[in-house]
Amino acid sequence: MNIENTKAQMRKGVLEFCILSVLKVKDAYTSEILETLKEAKLLVVEGTVYPLLTRLKNDGLLLYRWEESTSGPPRKYYGLTDEGKEFLNELGSTWTELSDAVNTITNKN
């Protein structure tokens, strides 16, 4: 069994939750989202994030706006919709329950 494949699948499983959590703090453009994920040691490439942002937008969880940049082309800033905030709250509850369950099982002697 390939451990790297399993680790990648685990990261993909929480990526949506992490991106929505980043946008809970403030609207951000893709490079900022990627940098925040990288700082948290959740290494993700742009090719993974762009389609996910599009899907979340199409699902009504995100909105975006264009802003002029002083250092290049306009930037697309993403933010949570009200539905996205509710969805994130539900994911947060589910994450807590799942994390507690996994910790209970994996920390048994």
Side-chain angles (χ1 to χ4, degrees):
M1 179 174 235
N2 183 342
I3 189 68
E4 291 306 318
N5 185 48
T6 301
K7 288 165 41 176
Q9 290 301 316
M10 290 173 77
R11 283 191 297 272
K12 283 182 187 176
V14 298
L15 185 57
E16 182 175 302
F17 179 41
C18 290
I19 288 174
L20 292 173
S21 295
V22 167
L23 295 172
K24 174 183 170 184
V25 177
K26 68 177 183 106
D27 292 359
Y29 61 99
T30 307
S31 295
E32 289 177 316
I33 295 167
L34 286 165
E35 185 61 30
T36 302
L37 296 173
K38 181 180 172 185
E39 288 171 2
K41 307 261 189 281
L42 188 62
L43 302 179
V44 182
V45 296
E46 287 183 25
T48 301
V49 172
Y50 281 111
L52 182 53
L53 289 170
T54 298
R55 185 175 58 76
L56 292 170
K57 181 190 71 67
N58 290 342
D59 288 345
L61 303 178
L62 297 181
L63 45 76
Y64 69 84
R65 70 181 189 286
W66 290 98
E67 262 189 38
E68 291 297 323
S69 170
T70 57
S71 60
R75 294 177 175 165
K76 186 188 283 189
Y77 280 79
Y78 290 91
L80 296 177
T81 62
D82 288 340
E83 186 179 346
K85 291 173 187 173
E86 290 176 26
F87 190 80
L88 176 58
N89 286 335
E90 285 290 322
L91 286 179
S93 297
T94 300
W95 175 257
T96 299
E97 292 169 6
L98 180 60
S99 177
D100 289 348
V102 170
N103 285 332
T104 297
I105 291 168
T106 58
N107 291 328
K108 284 190 174 185
N109 294 335

